[in-house]
Amino acid sequence: YEKYFNMKKTLSIVISALLLAFVSCTKGPIKANLMCYNVHNCVGLDDSLSCERIARIINNADVEAVAIQELDSMTTRYPGHDMLSELASLTNMYATYAPTIDYRGGKYGIGMLTRKKPLSHRQVPLPCRSEPRALLIVELEDYYYCCTHLSLHEEDRVKSISIIVNELSQLDKPAIIAGDFNALPNSMPMQFLARQFQVFPKSGASFTFPANKPTREIDYIALYSGGGATANVLYHEVLSAPVESDHAPIVARVEITK
């Protein structure tokens, strides 16, 4: 009887695993509506500080997650302002902050806004000879969305991408990274990135900096493909925002197949 019971229990476990696998396979592609934006502390090219202008762009884009770079929090440079918290309030999104340096009595770093509360998040330090940088990994229900702002020095950027590949290769869901890479498309860091990532091609003009008259593409969104995931890029555009920041925002709508 005990042998029969153990066999029945084993069979039940196998059937349950097969059913879960079937449900996973038939669930369909993961849909993600994403934005990446270096907001320059919400200070525009007209030198006006306005979180409201940045929030308006985010709200109009109707995205579920925004990777954001250059965020002061309670510094003497912008007294009384926690940029990410203000943007979260204005967009009705959850804020996840990753400060990289102590700066003028407060913090400075990168962050993420998400429509749904993240399941988890963590911060990974990245090399930079001028100031500390970081990778922010935010776990959502179906995928990870990651934010970074790489060094101005190419050697640091190459080392950073190696760290990023290693970190994302250990995740148990598809992982998308977005940020200001401070690197042109044909540069060594981006060529290195393209070996392990599907860098989303932009439709139309691809330049993102400076925002008023873009001449360089340095902001990107990409899917880590080392785990076998692929993305069908339905839309990936540089939005027109010529005054609100020194960078133009980018938006991508993709379907990810595991």
Side-chain angles (χ1 to χ4, degrees):
Y1 175 80
E2 184 178 350
K3 183 178 180 181
Y4 170 77
F5 177 78
N6 289 336
M7 288 178 61
K8 187 175 180 180
K9 184 178 180 182
T10 302
L11 181 62
S12 177
I13 293 172
V14 170
I15 292 173
S16 297
L18 289 172
L19 285 172
L20 285 172
F22 176 76
V23 169
S24 178
C25 291
T26 57
K27 187 178 180 181
I30 298 166
K31 296 181 180 180
N33 298 325
L34 309 168
M35 175 182 275
C36 176
Y37 202 177
N38 182 327
V39 300
H40 195 239
N41 276 309
C42 300
V43 177
L45 293 178
D46 58 357
D47 292 326
S48 295
L49 191 161
S50 175
C51 292
E52 288 79 9
R53 295 192 304 193
I54 299 293
R56 191 178 306 119
I57 291 171
I58 294 171
N59 286 330
N60 289 342
D62 190 26
V63 291
E64 61 199 41
V66 190
I68 304 179
Q69 304 85 47
E70 297 195 15
L71 292 162
D72 270 34
S73 175
M74 307 307 289
T75 65
T76 56
R77 176 164 61 173
Y78 304 111
H81 286 282
D82 182 334
M83 303 302 180
L84 189 63
S85 294
E86 290 179 44
L87 290 173
S89 177
L90 291 165
T91 59
N92 196 30
M93 298 176 85
Y94 290 94
T96 304
Y97 191 43
T100 54
I101 59 174
D102 295 325
Y103 187 75
R104 297 192 183 185
K107 302 288 185 180
Y108 174 81
I110 60 176
M112 187 85 70
L113 294 176
T114 54
R115 289 290 173 203
K116 294 184 179 180
K117 186 176 181 179
L119 301 180
S120 69
H121 73 274
R122 62 189 179 91
Q123 182 174 337
V124 179
L126 297 177
C128 181
R129 62 198 67 188
S130 53
E131 66 182 46
R133 306 275 176 153
L135 168 70
L136 172 61
I137 302 174
V138 176
E139 182 184 6
L140 301 173
E141 183 178 358
D142 295 319
Y143 60 92
Y144 292 88
Y145 195 35
C146 310
C147 177
T148 194
H149 186 187
L150 298 187
S151 169
L152 293 172
H153 306 282
E154 184 166 84
E155 185 179 348
D156 294 338
R157 293 195 293 270
V158 171
K159 291 179 180 178
S160 294
I161 288 171
S162 180
I163 293 170
I164 290 168
V165 169
N166 181 64
E167 291 292 334
L168 271 55
S169 68
Q170 301 176 50
L171 301 179
D172 57 352
K173 301 175 187 177
I176 305 166
I177 188 167
D180 175 358
F181 284 74
N182 278 314
L184 298 175
N186 293 326
S187 65
M188 184 183 298
M190 293 308 298
Q191 290 180 15
F192 187 23
L193 184 82
R195 296 176 188 175
Q196 296 287 339
F197 284 79
Q198 179 185 348
V199 182
F200 299 163
K202 297 181 179 74
S203 302
S206 60
F207 297 149
T208 59
F209 181 87
N212 57 343
K213 294 181 180 179
T215 57
R216 286 183 282 169
E217 181 180 11
I218 57 176
D219 302 271
Y220 305 90
I221 303 177
L223 171 72
Y224 174 69
S225 55
T230 59
N232 177 25
V233 182
L234 305 175
Y235 175 90
H236 189 201
E237 298 280 355
V238 179
L239 301 184
S240 176
V243 178
E244 293 82 354
S245 171
D246 61 344
H247 285 243
I250 54 177
V251 172
R253 291 182 173 84
V254 299
E255 293 180 343
I256 303 167
T257 304
K258 292 184 287 185

PDB file of all heavy atoms in Angstrom, residues 78-105:
ATOM      1  N   TYR A  78      18.926  71.675  -4.824  1.00  0.00           N
ATOM      2  CA  TYR A  78      17.489  71.914  -5.043  1.00  0.00           C
ATOM      3  C   TYR A  78      16.776  71.676  -3.712  1.00  0.00           C
ATOM      4  O   TYR A  78      16.180  70.618  -3.497  1.00  0.00           O
ATOM      5  CB  TYR A  78      16.947  70.980  -6.126  1.00  0.00           C
ATOM      6  CG  TYR A  78      17.692  71.095  -7.440  1.00  0.00           C
ATOM      7  CD1 TYR A  78      18.491  70.053  -7.899  1.00  0.00           C
ATOM      8  CD2 TYR A  78      17.612  72.254  -8.206  1.00  0.00           C
ATOM      9  CE1 TYR A  78      19.193  70.162  -9.091  1.00  0.00           C
ATOM     10  CE2 TYR A  78      18.308  72.368  -9.403  1.00  0.00           C
ATOM     11  CZ  TYR A  78      19.100  71.319  -9.838  1.00  0.00           C
ATOM     12  OH  TYR A  78      19.795  71.433 -11.010  1.00  0.00           O
ATOM     13  N   PRO A  79      16.853  72.620  -2.813  1.00  0.00           N
ATOM     14  CA  PRO A  79      16.330  72.444  -1.446  1.00  0.00           C
ATOM     15  C   PRO A  79      14.853  72.043  -1.436  1.00  0.00           C
ATOM     16  O   PRO A  79      14.031  72.609  -2.158  1.00  0.00           O
ATOM     17  CB  PRO A  79      16.532  73.825  -0.811  1.00  0.00           C
ATOM     18  CG  PRO A  79      17.628  74.455  -1.604  1.00  0.00           C
ATOM     19  CD  PRO A  79      17.432  73.968  -3.003  1.00  0.00           C
ATOM     20  N   GLY A  80      14.565  71.055  -0.604  1.00  0.00           N
ATOM     21  CA  GLY A  80      13.183  70.641  -0.408  1.00  0.00           C
ATOM     22  C   GLY A  80      12.641  69.722  -1.480  1.00  0.00           C
ATOM     23  O   GLY A  80      11.471  69.324  -1.409  1.00  0.00           O
ATOM     24  N   HIS A  81      13.446  69.354  -2.458  1.00  0.00           N
ATOM     25  CA  HIS A  81      12.962  68.533  -3.565  1.00  0.00           C
ATOM     26  C   HIS A  81      13.505  67.107  -3.495  1.00  0.00           C
ATOM     27  O   HIS A  81      14.720  66.898  -3.419  1.00  0.00           O
ATOM     28  CB  HIS A  81      13.355  69.138  -4.914  1.00  0.00           C
ATOM     29  CG  HIS A  81      12.564  70.355  -5.282  1.00  0.00           C
ATOM     30  ND1 HIS A  81      11.280  70.287  -5.782  1.00  0.00           N
ATOM     31  CD2 HIS A  81      12.881  71.678  -5.223  1.00  0.00           C
ATOM     32  CE1 HIS A  81      10.836  71.505  -6.016  1.00  0.00           C
ATOM     33  NE2 HIS A  81      11.777  72.370  -5.685  1.00  0.00           N
ATOM     34  N   ASP A  82      12.618  66.156  -3.497  1.00  0.00           N
ATOM     35  CA  ASP A  82      12.937  64.744  -3.728  1.00  0.00           C
ATOM     36  C   ASP A  82      12.320  64.417  -5.079  1.00  0.00           C
ATOM     37  O   ASP A  82      11.119  64.142  -5.183  1.00  0.00           O
ATOM     38  CB  ASP A  82      12.344  63.870  -2.625  1.00  0.00           C
ATOM     39  CG  ASP A  82      12.686  62.387  -2.784  1.00  0.00           C
ATOM     40  OD1 ASP A  82      12.940  61.953  -3.922  1.00  0.00           O
ATOM     41  OD2 ASP A  82      12.687  61.680  -1.767  1.00  0.00           O
ATOM     42  N   MET A  83      13.132  64.486  -6.120  1.00  0.00           N
ATOM     43  CA  MET A  83      12.613  64.454  -7.490  1.00  0.00           C
ATOM     44  C   MET A  83      11.775  63.215  -7.785  1.00  0.00           C
ATOM     45  O   MET A  83      10.677  63.315  -8.350  1.00  0.00           O
ATOM     46  CB  MET A  83      13.763  64.561  -8.500  1.00  0.00           C
ATOM     47  CG  MET A  83      14.623  65.786  -8.336  1.00  0.00           C
ATOM     48  SD  MET A  83      13.691  67.338  -8.463  1.00  0.00           S
ATOM     49  CE  MET A  83      15.001  68.532  -8.228  1.00  0.00           C
ATOM     50  N   LEU A  84      12.278  62.043  -7.414  1.00  0.00           N
ATOM     51  CA  LEU A  84      11.555  60.817  -7.747  1.00  0.00           C
ATOM     52  C   LEU A  84      10.235  60.725  -6.993  1.00  0.00           C
ATOM     53  O   LEU A  84       9.217  60.317  -7.559  1.00  0.00           O
ATOM     54  CB  LEU A  84      12.424  59.588  -7.462  1.00  0.00           C
ATOM     55  CG  LEU A  84      11.851  58.261  -7.969  1.00  0.00           C
ATOM     56  CD1 LEU A  84      11.724  58.263  -9.489  1.00  0.00           C
ATOM     57  CD2 LEU A  84      12.717  57.083  -7.514  1.00  0.00           C
ATOM     58  N   SER A  85      10.246  61.091  -5.725  1.00  0.00           N
ATOM     59  CA  SER A  85       9.004  61.052  -4.941  1.00  0.00           C
ATOM     60  C   SER A  85       7.964  62.009  -5.517  1.00  0.00           C
ATOM     61  O   SER A  85       6.766  61.685  -5.571  1.00  0.00           O
ATOM     62  CB  SER A  85       9.284  61.401  -3.478  1.00  0.00           C
ATOM     63  OG  SER A  85      10.083  60.412  -2.864  1.00  0.00           O
ATOM     64  N   GLU A  86       8.410  63.174  -5.970  1.00  0.00           N
ATOM     65  CA  GLU A  86       7.478  64.142  -6.564  1.00  0.00           C
ATOM     66  C   GLU A  86       6.902  63.599  -7.868  1.00  0.00           C
ATOM     67  O   GLU A  86       5.701  63.733  -8.133  1.00  0.00           O
ATOM     68  CB  GLU A  86       8.188  65.472  -6.786  1.00  0.00           C
ATOM     69  CG  GLU A  86       8.520  66.200  -5.490  1.00  0.00           C
ATOM     70  CD  GLU A  86       9.242  67.516  -5.714  1.00  0.00           C
ATOM     71  OE1 GLU A  86       8.829  68.273  -6.617  1.00  0.00           O
ATOM     72  OE2 GLU A  86      10.214  67.792  -4.986  1.00  0.00           O
ATOM     73  N   LEU A  87       7.755  62.979  -8.681  1.00  0.00           N
ATOM     74  CA  LEU A  87       7.271  62.386  -9.933  1.00  0.00           C
ATOM     75  C   LEU A  87       6.295  61.243  -9.651  1.00  0.00           C
ATOM     76  O   LEU A  87       5.289  61.083 -10.351  1.00  0.00           O
ATOM     77  CB  LEU A  87       8.446  61.883 -10.768  1.00  0.00           C
ATOM     78  CG  LEU A  87       9.339  62.958 -11.385  1.00  0.00           C
ATOM     79  CD1 LEU A  87      10.554  62.311 -12.045  1.00  0.00           C
ATOM     80  CD2 LEU A  87       8.566  63.798 -12.395  1.00  0.00           C
ATOM     81  N   ALA A  88       6.583  60.450  -8.622  1.00  0.00           N
ATOM     82  CA  ALA A  88       5.698  59.337  -8.265  1.00  0.00           C
ATOM     83  C   ALA A  88       4.319  59.857  -7.867  1.00  0.00           C
ATOM     84  O   ALA A  88       3.289  59.292  -8.251  1.00  0.00           O
ATOM     85  CB  ALA A  88       6.310  58.528  -7.129  1.00  0.00           C
ATOM     86  N   SER A  89       4.296  60.941  -7.108  1.00  0.00           N
ATOM     87  CA  SER A  89       3.028  61.526  -6.681  1.00  0.00           C
ATOM     88  C   SER A  89       2.239  62.076  -7.863  1.00  0.00           C
ATOM     89  O   SER A  89       1.020  61.906  -7.951  1.00  0.00           O
ATOM     90  CB  SER A  89       3.298  62.634  -5.655  1.00  0.00           C
ATOM     91  OG  SER A  89       2.102  63.262  -5.267  1.00  0.00           O
ATOM     92  N   LEU A  90       2.937  62.708  -8.784  1.00  0.00           N
ATOM     93  CA  LEU A  90       2.281  63.334  -9.933  1.00  0.00           C
ATOM     94  C   LEU A  90       1.808  62.330 -10.983  1.00  0.00           C
ATOM     95  O   LEU A  90       0.923  62.628 -11.785  1.00  0.00           O
ATOM     96  CB  LEU A  90       3.231  64.336 -10.590  1.00  0.00           C
ATOM     97  CG  LEU A  90       3.541  65.602  -9.767  1.00  0.00           C
ATOM     98  CD1 LEU A  90       4.751  66.319 -10.335  1.00  0.00           C
ATOM     99  CD2 LEU A  90       2.327  66.524  -9.740  1.00  0.00           C
ATOM    100  N   THR A  91       2.392  61.136 -10.982  1.00  0.00           N
ATOM    101  CA  THR A  91       2.025  60.108 -11.966  1.00  0.00           C
ATOM    102  C   THR A  91       1.241  58.952 -11.350  1.00  0.00           C
ATOM    103  O   THR A  91       0.818  58.048 -12.063  1.00  0.00           O
ATOM    104  CB  THR A  91       3.284  59.536 -12.641  1.00  0.00           C
ATOM    105  OG1 THR A  91       4.149  58.977 -11.629  1.00  0.00           O
ATOM    106  CG2 THR A  91       4.038  60.608 -13.412  1.00  0.00           C
ATOM    107  N   ASN A  92       1.094  58.984 -10.019  1.00  0.00           N
ATOM    108  CA  ASN A  92       0.406  57.905  -9.306  1.00  0.00           C
ATOM    109  C   ASN A  92       1.100  56.566  -9.546  1.00  0.00           C
ATOM    110  O   ASN A  92       0.459  55.550  -9.801  1.00  0.00           O
ATOM    111  CB  ASN A  92      -1.066  57.813  -9.717  1.00  0.00           C
ATOM    112  CG  ASN A  92      -1.894  56.982  -8.748  1.00  0.00           C
ATOM    113  OD1 ASN A  92      -1.590  56.921  -7.556  1.00  0.00           O
ATOM    114  ND2 ASN A  92      -2.933  56.330  -9.253  1.00  0.00           N
ATOM    115  N   MET A  93       2.431  56.582  -9.438  1.00  0.00           N
ATOM    116  CA  MET A  93       3.227  55.370  -9.623  1.00  0.00           C
ATOM    117  C   MET A  93       4.070  55.112  -8.382  1.00  0.00           C
ATOM    118  O   MET A  93       4.228  55.984  -7.520  1.00  0.00           O
ATOM    119  CB  MET A  93       4.130  55.516 -10.867  1.00  0.00           C
ATOM    120  CG  MET A  93       3.363  55.703 -12.169  1.00  0.00           C
ATOM    121  SD  MET A  93       4.429  55.983 -13.616  1.00  0.00           S
ATOM    122  CE  MET A  93       4.831  54.298 -14.079  1.00  0.00           C
ATOM    123  N   TYR A  94       4.604  53.877  -8.285  1.00  0.00           N
ATOM    124  CA  TYR A  94       5.486  53.511  -7.179  1.00  0.00           C
ATOM    125  C   TYR A  94       6.915  53.932  -7.514  1.00  0.00           C
ATOM    126  O   TYR A  94       7.385  53.735  -8.639  1.00  0.00           O
ATOM    127  CB  TYR A  94       5.440  52.008  -6.924  1.00  0.00           C
ATOM    128  CG  TYR A  94       4.140  51.519  -6.338  1.00  0.00           C
ATOM    129  CD1 TYR A  94       3.130  51.037  -7.160  1.00  0.00           C
ATOM    130  CD2 TYR A  94       3.922  51.545  -4.961  1.00  0.00           C
ATOM    131  CE1 TYR A  94       1.922  50.586  -6.622  1.00  0.00           C
ATOM    132  CE2 TYR A  94       2.725  51.099  -4.415  1.00  0.00           C
ATOM    133  CZ  TYR A  94       1.735  50.616  -5.252  1.00  0.00           C
ATOM    134  OH  TYR A  94       0.547  50.181  -4.717  1.00  0.00           O
ATOM    135  N   ALA A  95       7.614  54.478  -6.521  1.00  0.00           N
ATOM    136  CA  ALA A  95       8.988  54.931  -6.716  1.00  0.00           C
ATOM    137  C   ALA A  95       9.977  53.955  -6.092  1.00  0.00           C
ATOM    138  O   ALA A  95       9.778  53.499  -4.963  1.00  0.00           O
ATOM    139  CB  ALA A  95       9.176  56.314  -6.096  1.00  0.00           C
ATOM    140  N   THR A  96      11.034  53.642  -6.831  1.00  0.00           N
ATOM    141  CA  THR A  96      12.141  52.845  -6.315  1.00  0.00           C
ATOM    142  C   THR A  96      13.424  53.618  -6.593  1.00  0.00           C
ATOM    143  O   THR A  96      13.800  53.810  -7.755  1.00  0.00           O
ATOM    144  CB  THR A  96      12.214  51.466  -6.991  1.00  0.00           C
ATOM    145  OG1 THR A  96      10.961  50.787  -6.845  1.00  0.00           O
ATOM    146  CG2 THR A  96      13.316  50.619  -6.373  1.00  0.00           C
ATOM    147  N   TYR A  97      14.083  54.060  -5.540  1.00  0.00           N
ATOM    148  CA  TYR A  97      15.242  54.941  -5.688  1.00  0.00           C
ATOM    149  C   TYR A  97      16.532  54.170  -5.445  1.00  0.00           C
ATOM    150  O   TYR A  97      16.611  53.311  -4.564  1.00  0.00           O
ATOM    151  CB  TYR A  97      15.130  56.094  -4.691  1.00  0.00           C
ATOM    152  CG  TYR A  97      16.121  57.225  -4.885  1.00  0.00           C
ATOM    153  CD1 TYR A  97      16.406  57.718  -6.147  1.00  0.00           C
ATOM    154  CD2 TYR A  97      16.753  57.805  -3.785  1.00  0.00           C
ATOM    155  CE1 TYR A  97      17.295  58.775  -6.325  1.00  0.00           C
ATOM    156  CE2 TYR A  97      17.638  58.870  -3.938  1.00  0.00           C
ATOM    157  CZ  TYR A  97      17.910  59.344  -5.222  1.00  0.00           C
ATOM    158  OH  TYR A  97      18.792  60.390  -5.388  1.00  0.00           O
ATOM    159  N   ALA A  98      17.553  54.502  -6.234  1.00  0.00           N
ATOM    160  CA  ALA A  98      18.874  53.899  -6.074  1.00  0.00           C
ATOM    161  C   ALA A  98      19.908  55.013  -6.012  1.00  0.00           C
ATOM    162  O   ALA A  98      20.517  55.369  -7.034  1.00  0.00           O
ATOM    163  CB  ALA A  98      19.171  52.942  -7.230  1.00  0.00           C
ATOM    164  N   PRO A  99      20.109  55.608  -4.843  1.00  0.00           N
ATOM    165  CA  PRO A  99      21.104  56.676  -4.725  1.00  0.00           C
ATOM    166  C   PRO A  99      22.511  56.122  -4.915  1.00  0.00           C
ATOM    167  O   PRO A  99      22.840  55.044  -4.408  1.00  0.00           O
ATOM    168  CB  PRO A  99      20.904  57.194  -3.303  1.00  0.00           C
ATOM    169  CG  PRO A  99      20.291  56.043  -2.551  1.00  0.00           C
ATOM    170  CD  PRO A  99      19.454  55.303  -3.555  1.00  0.00           C
ATOM    171  N   THR A 100      23.323  56.847  -5.656  1.00  0.00           N
ATOM    172  CA  THR A 100      24.694  56.373  -5.918  1.00  0.00           C
ATOM    173  C   THR A 100      25.745  57.192  -5.175  1.00  0.00           C
ATOM    174  O   THR A 100      26.843  56.689  -4.930  1.00  0.00           O
ATOM    175  CB  THR A 100      24.992  56.414  -7.426  1.00  0.00           C
ATOM    176  OG1 THR A 100      24.725  57.729  -7.933  1.00  0.00           O
ATOM    177  CG2 THR A 100      24.134  55.407  -8.170  1.00  0.00           C
ATOM    178  N   ILE A 101      25.430  58.436  -4.838  1.00  0.00           N
ATOM    179  CA  ILE A 101      26.394  59.247  -4.088  1.00  0.00           C
ATOM    180  C   ILE A 101      25.666  60.121  -3.071  1.00  0.00           C
ATOM    181  O   ILE A 101      24.509  60.487  -3.253  1.00  0.00           O
ATOM    182  CB  ILE A 101      27.245  60.151  -5.009  1.00  0.00           C
ATOM    183  CG1 ILE A 101      26.369  61.116  -5.824  1.00  0.00           C
ATOM    184  CG2 ILE A 101      28.121  59.323  -5.924  1.00  0.00           C
ATOM    185  CD1 ILE A 101      27.172  62.111  -6.643  1.00  0.00           C
ATOM    186  N   ASP A 102      26.379  60.421  -1.978  1.00  0.00           N
ATOM    187  CA  ASP A 102      25.934  61.455  -1.051  1.00  0.00           C
ATOM    188  C   ASP A 102      26.319  62.790  -1.672  1.00  0.00           C
ATOM    189  O   ASP A 102      27.484  62.997  -2.056  1.00  0.00           O
ATOM    190  CB  ASP A 102      26.608  61.289   0.304  1.00  0.00           C
ATOM    191  CG  ASP A 102      26.209  59.997   0.994  1.00  0.00           C
ATOM    192  OD1 ASP A 102      25.048  59.588   0.846  1.00  0.00           O
ATOM    193  OD2 ASP A 102      27.078  59.387   1.648  1.00  0.00           O
ATOM    194  N   TYR A 103      25.349  63.685  -1.774  1.00  0.00           N
ATOM    195  CA  TYR A 103      25.616  64.914  -2.522  1.00  0.00           C
ATOM    196  C   TYR A 103      24.931  66.113  -1.883  1.00  0.00           C
ATOM    197  O   TYR A 103      23.703  66.117  -1.718  1.00  0.00           O
ATOM    198  CB  TYR A 103      25.127  64.744  -3.968  1.00  0.00           C
ATOM    199  CG  TYR A 103      25.486  65.877  -4.886  1.00  0.00           C
ATOM    200  CD1 TYR A 103      26.778  66.039  -5.357  1.00  0.00           C
ATOM    201  CD2 TYR A 103      24.522  66.804  -5.274  1.00  0.00           C
ATOM    202  CE1 TYR A 103      27.114  67.089  -6.192  1.00  0.00           C
ATOM    203  CE2 TYR A 103      24.843  67.861  -6.118  1.00  0.00           C
ATOM    204  CZ  TYR A 103      26.150  68.003  -6.572  1.00  0.00           C
ATOM    205  OH  TYR A 103      26.477  69.040  -7.406  1.00  0.00           O
ATOM    206  N   ARG A 104      25.718  67.087  -1.485  1.00  0.00           N
ATOM    207  CA  ARG A 104      25.213  68.358  -0.968  1.00  0.00           C
ATOM    208  C   ARG A 104      24.093  68.170   0.053  1.00  0.00           C
ATOM    209  O   ARG A 104      23.013  68.747  -0.065  1.00  0.00           O
ATOM    210  CB  ARG A 104      24.747  69.262  -2.111  1.00  0.00           C
ATOM    211  CG  ARG A 104      25.862  69.664  -3.071  1.00  0.00           C
ATOM    212  CD  ARG A 104      25.403  70.774  -3.993  1.00  0.00           C
ATOM    213  NE  ARG A 104      26.435  71.125  -4.959  1.00  0.00           N
ATOM    214  CZ  ARG A 104      26.340  72.122  -5.831  1.00  0.00           C
ATOM    215  NH1 ARG A 104      25.239  72.873  -5.858  1.00  0.00           N
ATOM    216  NH2 ARG A 104      27.312  72.381  -6.678  1.00  0.00           N
ATOM    217  N   GLY A 105      24.379  67.369   1.053  1.00  0.00           N
ATOM    218  CA  GLY A 105      23.436  67.167   2.145  1.00  0.00           C
ATOM    219  C   GLY A 105      22.326  66.185   1.862  1.00  0.00           C
ATOM    220  O   GLY A 105      21.499  65.899   2.731  1.00  0.00           O
TER     221      GLY A 105
END
